[in-house]
Amino acid sequence: MTDIPWWSNAIFYQIYPRSFADSDGDGVGDLGGILVRLDHLSMLGVDAIWLNPVMVSPMADHGYDVADPRDIDPLFGGLSELDRLVEAAHARGIKVTMDLVPNHTSAAHPWFRSALSTGPGSPQRQRYIFRDGRDGGTTPPNNWVSVFGGPAWTRVTEPDGTPGQWYLHLFDSQQPDLNWDNPAVFEDLETTLRFWLDRGVDGFRIDVAHGMAKPVGLPDMINPGIEMLNADDEDPRFNHDGVHRIHRGIRSVLDDYPHAVSIGEIWVFDNEDFAKYLRPDELHMGFNFRLVRTEFIAADIRNAIANSLAAAALAQASPTWTLSNHDVEREVTRYGGGTRGLDRARAMALVMLALPGAVFLYNGEELGLPNVDLPDDVLQDPVWERSGHTERGRDGCRVPMPWSGSAPPFGFSANPDTWLPMPTDWTPLTVAAQIEDPTSTLSFFRAALKLRRSTFRFTDRDVQWLPSDADVLVFLSGGVLCVLNAGPDSIPLPRHEVLAGSSPLVDGELPPDAAVWLRGS
Ligand code: NOJ
Ligand code: MG
């Protein structure tokens, strides 16, 4: 089985660099902080890091607004620090993948600045999506809404000082969408891809991989009230067929670097449509967000898993699994919070880690961190402003990691003034508090990752469902039997050797909100 690529069943660890570890005392995490904390990743046993964007950026969307795609922001330590990180991670056998943002740039990108200064009709404007407004120019060219709230168009002031054209931004107004019909846009992306791959980077997570291509004529949305997590497949802003030509272009570059992987962020829920992105000449893998959207209900979890497996199988691609990331409420909170939320999050982690395919853990998941309720005046996500203070945004899942000690900043930084405040009651959640405790969530993750590596034999990309009560899931995967109890009562288990459990058994039975791995035969 030597032809199985490294990423097929890999554990990726997502690092939100602002929130992982701060090495220079400015209260914001950085690459130097990751270097100092690499032991944590080795101890946990991950195969690869996915770094959220660290390129030069004014940070209007914390790095997803890129002003120079081929340099690292000084806030994170500059290019030399990235080189050091790649080298140090590789020395430990950990791959490094980066976030790539091809749908848009920052409004501070030199291309956008020159698009503004040159005026309507200029070749510089053709790199973005500028249009004249309707009603004599005063209303936006169509009814598209920004994913972050408000209109997806902003009107510019022309070089002569008059109100002028509008530009499209599916996200913040500081993130103008690129015009992917212009060949210069792909040429520049190719330069960027090679720039990082030549430096030893092991691949990319591709932001808004179902965006980029826009339909001719930019037709109105039928339902402009839509939210990101409930994207519908009729939305003209996303999943336009022209996107596949772009992915083929990206893949043709990546094929020059056979060690490198591409994983697309694809909010597309029709399986046939989703699988198109994973054809042999497009992306290697696609994020599938079904589990993230699923409540703790056995039948729904089973459907989400079966559906994700089926979608990937259509393209013979590796499935991918994730329970959380920097855009969604942390799962401990999603599943109800408190002890129950944590029990369920651990149970779901065991389910996820039993599945064939690549698994993406989000920093802090291994500590069982909950979402944080932050006061209004510290919120930074552009969603808060753009929604007119109706959506609090994603800051609550981005609070810095607690490492040690009994008060904020819990070893995250030398500076108590961290970019988002840390809860004072996180003492039991720090890495230091959990590491020696065999019952901690950190020890649980560490043991589960080790077992996944040593015991599972993923010879195919499917699982075998076994009969069970409606509140229970039982499946065989990689030679291991996984049982999840999502019902209200304890359940007896078959007499197999117990390999791991998310909660202790009670009188030999599996309690509610718990999962277990049993030796399959
Ligand atoms: C998806 C990213 O995950 C999110 O954090 C970001 O705000 C948008 N894309 C825009 O780049
Ligand atoms: Mg710093």
Side-chain angles (χ1 to χ4, degrees):
M1 304 281 257
T2 46
D3 57 343
I4 294 183
W6 66 263
W7 56 80
S8 291
N9 298 303
I11 302 286
F12 287 78
Y13 183 88
Q14 178 193 351
I15 295 186
Y16 198 68
R18 297 180 76 82
S19 302
F20 190 68
D22 175 26
S23 68
D24 62 359
D26 64 355
V28 182
D30 44 47
L31 296 177
I34 303 174
L35 269 160
V36 171
R37 297 290 184 185
L38 276 178
D39 275 350
H40 180 69
L41 304 187
S42 296
M43 176 276 295
L44 199 55
V46 308
D47 299 295
I49 300 170
W50 151 31
L51 279 181
N52 284 107
V54 285
M55 291 86 169
V56 172
S57 165
M59 307 287 166
D61 187 20
H62 295 325
Y64 283 101
D65 47 322
V66 179
D68 181 349
R70 297 187 281 278
D71 200 356
I72 302 290
D73 200 279
L75 182 76
F76 295 126
L79 201 49
S80 56
E81 207 74 332
L82 193 269
D83 289 339
R84 285 178 57 207
L85 176 61
V86 171
E87 199 187 326
H90 284 174
R92 291 165 182 260
I94 298 174
K95 314 264 186 196
V96 180
T97 63
M98 297 179 84
D99 223 308
L100 190 77
V101 190
N103 180 69
H104 43 266
T105 69
S106 160
H109 190 292
W111 276 9
F112 194 71
R113 288 177 187 271
S114 64
L116 290 186
S117 64
T118 49
S122 70
Q124 286 83 347
R125 268 196 195 184
Q126 306 307 318
R127 296 182 187 129
Y128 294 91
I129 304 180
F130 280 85
R131 295 284 185 277
D132 294 332
R134 293 192 279 203
D135 303 326
T138 55
T139 49
N142 71 17
N143 73 349
W144 290 11
V145 290
S146 152
V147 173
F148 292 167
W153 297 91
T154 291
R155 194 169 193 189
V156 303
T157 303
E158 297 301 354
D160 65 3
T162 58
Q165 290 195 298
W166 299 72
Y167 68 90
L168 179 71
H169 51 88
L170 293 185
F171 297 90
D172 191 68
S173 59
Q174 295 304 301
Q175 294 166 294
D177 278 51
L178 286 160
N179 170 18
W180 274 90
D181 291 331
N182 184 336
V185 172
F186 181 76
E187 278 164 30
D188 191 69
L189 184 74
E190 171 162 4
T191 310
T192 299
L193 290 167
R194 293 191 190 279
F195 179 85
W196 297 114
L197 293 166
D198 288 337
R199 295 189 99 82
V201 164
D202 300 291
F204 304 97
R205 176 267 191 188
I206 301 185
D207 190 56
V208 205
H210 60 315
M212 298 186 277
K214 309 293 186 306
V216 176
L218 306 178
D220 272 347
M221 293 173 69
I222 295 161
N223 173 15
I226 240 159
E227 291 165 34
M228 180 140 133
L229 282 181
N230 297 314
D232 89 35
D233 287 347
E234 302 311 312
D235 187 335
R237 298 171 302 170
F238 297 107
N239 193 29
H240 178 58
D241 215 39
V243 75
H244 297 291
R245 184 178 53 84
I246 301 169
H247 286 300
R248 285 195 290 274
I250 293 175
R251 181 57 176 269
S252 70
V253 178
L254 257 75
D255 281 344
D256 287 345
Y257 304 81
H259 72 282
V261 65
S262 57
I263 310 122
E265 181 199 27
I266 310 171
W267 290 91
V268 170
F269 292 97
D270 177 85
N271 280 359
E272 304 269 344
D273 273 3
F274 178 84
K276 283 186 189 163
Y277 289 82
L278 307 179
R279 289 178 288 202
D281 56 352
E282 298 197 30
L283 292 159
H284 292 111
M285 297 195 286
F287 274 106
N288 193 308
F289 295 111
R290 282 197 169 78
L291 267 190
V292 172
R293 305 204 308 172
T294 302
E295 289 182 38
F296 194 76
I297 298 170
D300 294 357
I301 296 165
R302 177 180 169 156
N303 274 340
I305 294 172
N307 224 300
S308 299
L309 288 169
L314 282 175
Q316 292 170 1
S318 243
T320 65
W321 309 103
T322 190
L323 291 170
S324 65
N325 63 36
H326 64 294
D327 289 331
V328 298
E329 193 175 41
R330 284 192 180 271
E331 62 272 51
V332 170
T333 306
R334 277 202 328 266
Y335 296 139
T339 311
R340 185 179 218 200
L342 180 60
D343 286 350
R344 290 177 166 186
R346 286 169 57 146
M348 285 304 292
L350 217 52
V351 169
M352 171 171 75
L353 289 166
L355 295 168
V359 173
F360 291 80
L361 302 176
Y362 174 47
N363 59 202
E365 181 170 351
E366 76 278 26
L367 304 178
L369 296 187
N371 233 61
V372 179
D373 278 329
L374 293 162
D376 292 3
D377 60 337
V378 304
L379 295 181
Q380 305 205 13
D381 187 347
V383 168
W384 174 238
E385 288 302 326
R386 287 198 62 86
S387 69
H389 296 183
T390 57
E391 299 281 338
R392 302 189 71 72
R394 303 158 292 177
D395 295 314
C397 68
R398 299 174 175 176
V399 169
M401 288 264 291
W403 291 94
S404 59
S406 53
F410 292 112
F412 164 74
S413 172
N415 186 342
D417 192 16
T418 51
W419 77 278
L420 287 173
M422 302 175 70
T424 49
D425 62 356
W426 272 11
T427 306
L429 294 176
T430 64
V431 173
Q434 295 198 37
I435 196 141
E436 301 294 347
D437 173 2
T439 68
S440 72
T441 300
L442 179 57
S443 299
F444 158 75
F445 267 93
R446 189 179 175 185
L449 260 55
K450 198 167 171 196
L451 270 170
R452 178 174 160 100
R453 199 183 290 273
S454 64
T455 304
F456 284 76
R457 296 284 168 261
F458 295 115
T459 46
D460 61 28
R461 290 177 174 144
D462 212 352
V463 306
Q464 192 187 334
W465 299 99
L466 301 178
S468 66
D469 290 348
D471 286 338
V472 175
L473 289 188
V474 185
F475 62 91
L476 192 59
S477 173
V480 172
L481 201 57
C482 181
V483 184
L484 170 75
N485 183 4
D489 304 312
S490 292
I491 54 167
L493 288 169
R495 292 183 175 280
H496 290 229
E497 181 195 349
V498 176
L499 299 171
S502 63
S503 300
L505 300 186
V506 179
D507 299 331
E509 297 203 327
L510 185 63
D513 303 320
V516 73
W517 286 348
L518 306 172
R519 200 175 289 285
S521 50

